[in-house]
Amino acid sequence: MSNIDFASVQWAQKISNSLDIFGDLTADELKKLSQLLQELSHLKAEGHTPSTAQMTVILQYLHTKNLDLLEAVKGGLMVHFSGGGLEYERFLLREDGRIPNHKYESRAAE
């Protein structure tokens, strides 16, 4: 006999329903999403939740790059990407989804 409690069953059903949407993703897309979820969990643990505008920008960059870090800072999120022809790309992403020019830096891959 198992020790599965009602809360465990509810959680498993919630997660199972959430996972249905991932069926069409490739292995590479799942890997990128996994990194995003890890970074989001760190933000959430610190009491930060990205805005819809911030998530839209992050996902657009994630299409061709790899997410290395999301960090809550004064004024928004500091976002670090690599790949896509660049060694790195980092910038401040404000809550409204804008990236101030003076808070953007990148380095071309050698």
Side-chain angles (χ1 to χ4, degrees):
M1 182 154 192
S2 68
N3 291 339
I4 304 293
D5 59 31
F6 185 68
S8 296
V9 171
Q10 285 184 313
W11 184 85
Q13 288 174 338
K14 173 184 164 185
I15 297 301
S16 179
N17 291 339
S18 298
L19 292 176
D20 287 343
I21 61 173
F22 299 126
D24 292 336
L25 298 179
T26 66
D28 188 49
E29 290 169 332
L30 286 170
K31 184 177 178 182
K32 286 182 176 194
L33 189 57
S34 171
Q35 181 62 28
L36 174 62
L37 292 173
Q38 184 175 356
E39 293 300 322
L40 289 175
S41 73
H42 294 199
L43 286 177
K44 191 81 163 183
E46 295 171 358
H48 303 283
T49 301
S51 69
T52 301
Q54 287 171 321
M55 284 303 300
T56 299
V57 172
I58 292 166
L59 289 169
Q60 288 169 351
Y61 274 79
L62 195 58
H63 181 251
T64 58
K65 295 174 176 62
N66 299 311
L67 179 64
D68 299 321
L69 179 69
L70 287 178
E71 181 180 22
V73 296
K74 184 177 178 181
L77 295 175
M78 188 57 72
V79 185
H80 298 247
F81 284 99
S82 59
L86 296 173
E87 182 179 326
Y88 72 86
E89 189 170 15
R90 69 179 143 233
F91 51 84
L92 176 70
L93 182 57
R94 295 189 332 205
E95 192 168 325
D96 62 4
R98 294 189 179 179
I99 302 167
N101 286 338
H102 68 285
K103 293 291 185 172
Y104 174 90
E105 68 177 274
S106 66
R107 177 178 289 163
E110 295 179 13

